[in-house]
Amino acid sequence: MTIETERLILKPISPEYIDDIFSNFTEEVTVHMFPQPTGKKEDTKAFVRKSMKENYEGTNMQMVVLKKDTGEFLGNAGLHDITKRDPELGIWIKRSAHGNKYGFEAIEALVKWARKNLIYDYIKYPVVKENIASRKIPEALGAKVAREFIGKNARGEPMDEVEYHIV
């Protein structure tokens, strides 16, 4: 399944994007995220394999975000736990593509898809409080902060987070 927007194509993750994911999933990009780069390409390969399996099983939608006119890899977007009443959105865009609102466009496309294809109470969008650029995404979709909490990233480091609910 492919989702197209005005400027983007979201398509299921596949092995052809391992090098792009590995080289662009950097410390700078993930500073406000749960997953963290390990510097090991095998970990990226394992992530892609796991994501493909979950896509096939219908529990997640892990997509690559591509620029429509050139096919340039921009990042990853996911809609996780899609069989639950509270699926969760996630996104990262490579550093060189920041500032173009690609993240908003990709998330908006996933929300539109969910509204047509899923039964849910709300979609979660957790984000670190200080990540203002990412917080603008759910706010532009009309979402409000539903809870605040201290989470941890994959390294166990604390993250002061808010969770938006998109209905």
Side-chain angles (χ1 to χ4, degrees):
M1 177 193 60
T2 299
I3 300 172
E4 291 190 28
T5 69
E6 183 180 333
R7 301 179 300 158
L8 305 175
I9 296 175
L10 281 67
K11 63 187 258 187
I13 197 167
S14 67
E16 72 183 283
Y17 297 102
I18 289 172
D19 288 339
D20 288 316
I21 295 167
F22 180 74
S23 62
N24 289 290
F25 193 70
T26 64
E27 296 281 341
E28 186 177 17
V29 166
T30 63
V31 69
H32 298 298
M33 294 175 55
F34 171 79
Q36 296 291 303
T38 64
K40 300 175 188 171
K41 190 176 263 188
E42 188 52 46
D43 290 339
T44 302
K45 290 177 182 177
F47 166 74
V48 170
R49 282 191 303 271
K50 179 180 182 281
S51 296
M52 290 174 61
K53 178 179 182 281
E54 292 170 343
N55 282 356
Y56 177 77
E57 293 169 345
T59 58
N60 283 333
M61 282 181 61
Q62 188 66 49
M63 313 292 274
V64 292
V65 180
L66 308 172
K67 200 170 175 191
K68 193 177 201 176
D69 60 351
T70 64
E72 176 187 355
F73 174 86
L74 298 173
N76 281 42
L79 185 56
H80 309 290
D81 299 321
I82 62 176
T83 59
K84 295 183 178 181
R85 300 294 295 196
D86 61 345
E88 181 175 308
L89 288 161
I91 189 156
W92 66 269
I93 299 294
K94 68 182 183 178
R95 180 65 189 113
S96 63
H98 283 189
N100 294 290
K101 298 190 179 187
Y102 294 134
F104 171 78
E105 193 169 331
I107 291 296
E108 182 183 42
L110 286 174
V111 169
K112 285 179 180 179
W113 181 90
R115 286 179 174 151
K116 290 180 184 174
N117 296 283
L118 300 179
I119 297 171
Y120 60 88
D121 296 325
Y122 55 87
I123 301 172
K124 296 184 287 191
Y125 188 99
V127 60
V128 171
K129 275 187 186 180
E130 66 187 57
N131 189 351
I132 302 303
S134 188
R135 290 184 69 170
K136 287 180 180 181
I137 294 172
E139 290 170 0
L141 294 169
K144 303 289 184 207
V145 173
R147 72 181 186 116
E148 298 185 23
F149 62 101
I150 302 295
K152 292 186 178 183
N153 68 17
R155 293 186 183 127
E157 301 162 338
M159 299 187 314
D160 190 7
E161 297 185 68
V162 293
E163 181 179 279
Y164 290 88
H165 288 181
I166 301 168
V167 292

